[in-house]
Amino acid sequence: MAITFPLSLPTVKGFASIVIQQGVAVGVSTSPFTGEQQVQPHQRQVWGMEAELPPIKRADAEEWISFLLSLNGPEGTFLAGDPNATAPRGVATGTPQVKGVGQIGRVLETDGWTISTTGILLVGDYIQLGTGANARLHKNLTDADSDGGGNATLDIWPALREPPADNASIITANTVGVFRLASNEMPFSIGQAQMYGINFSAVEAL
């Protein structure tokens, strides 16, 4: 059977630890004479991760080793998200959608939420736009309420890189984005107790 991307993470033996990174490109120029700063934000806003598995026996390790080899370094892609945030903190009821065409930047207008609801999303909740190879992961930065029409304005990170379609669905649970390995190297270790050690780094696939 042909391997198709993006892959899903193996379900055996979850992470021992995972570092979720947020990378930006903001230039700062400081005058050596006055200390005055000039700040210039650039477009780059990307997710990254560093994942480590617990020591595992070969039967489980082979699932992960084969997963990593299937990616062939940075060539292939996979879906991943915050494993501790599979459900939103906010109410998140209704059928949320993108409201309007041509949206770009760090504010997203939405509708379809349950009407007049305080905390429809809370600070730190994730949303996902698109699915499969087009999945994009965003974090809600402020508490958001829905109005009497089921509308809500979301402050998000990273910024929208391309305008989502009007009425595109917004996913609020089990949210994921698309990642690729950050290196061509895919090592694993074997200890004296015949336990395998596996870790890897990844960056958002853009």
Side-chain angles (χ1 to χ4, degrees), residues 5-10 15 18-21 47-51 53 64 67-68 71 76-86 126-138 158 171 173-181 200-205:
F5 303 114
L7 301 178
S8 296
L9 289 171
F15 299 120
I18 181 170
V19 177
I20 298 178
Q21 302 165 328
W47 294 105
M49 67 167 61
E50 294 182 2
L53 273 66
W64 280 96
F67 164 77
L68 295 171
L71 293 171
T77 59
F78 64 95
L79 298 172
D82 185 337
N84 200 42
T86 56
Y126 290 93
I127 64 169
Q128 176 187 332
L129 299 175
T131 58
N134 297 313
R136 292 288 180 259
L137 185 65
H138 299 271
I171 298 169
N174 299 307
T175 53
V176 294
V178 185
F179 290 81
R180 67 175 75 250
L181 295 180
F200 62 90
S201 299
V203 294
E204 190 176 5

Side-chain angles (χ1 to χ4, degrees), residues 117-142:
T117 302
T118 300
I120 198 69
L121 286 181
L122 294 182
V123 60
D125 283 340
Y126 290 93
I127 64 169
Q128 176 187 332
L129 299 175
T131 58
N134 297 313
R136 292 288 180 259
L137 185 65
H138 299 271
K139 202 167 185 61
N140 179 55
L141 302 181
T142 56

Side-chain angles (χ1 to χ4, degrees), residues 88-173:
R89 298 171 58 239
V91 180
T93 52
T95 308
Q97 299 177 329
V98 173
K99 181 182 180 182
V101 299
Q103 297 194 61
I104 205 76
R106 295 171 63 180
V107 175
L108 178 64
E109 299 295 338
T110 68
D111 59 11
W113 303 97
T114 301
I115 64 172
S116 303
T117 302
T118 300
I120 198 69
L121 286 181
L122 294 182
V123 60
D125 283 340
Y126 290 93
I127 64 169
Q128 176 187 332
L129 299 175
T131 58
N134 297 313
R136 292 288 180 259
L137 185 65
H138 299 271
K139 202 167 185 61
N140 179 55
L141 302 181
T142 56
D143 291 344
D145 306 328
S146 63
D147 65 17
N151 306 297
T153 300
L154 307 181
D155 297 300
I156 60 172
W157 191 98
L160 297 167
R161 302 181 184 95
E162 59 278 327
D166 185 27
N167 296 326
S169 296
I170 296 173
I171 298 169
T172 60

Side-chain angles (χ1 to χ4, degrees), residues 10-17 51-68 187-200:
T11 57
V12 296
K13 300 295 182 183
F15 299 120
S17 68
E52 181 179 358
L53 273 66
I56 51 178
K57 293 183 178 180
R58 183 183 176 191
D60 294 328
E62 294 295 4
E63 297 283 341
W64 280 96
I65 294 168
S66 295
F67 164 77
L68 295 171
F188 60 89
S189 63
I190 307 171
Q192 285 185 331
Q194 297 182 342
M195 302 294 281
Y196 285 66
I198 299 172
N199 59 73
F200 62 90

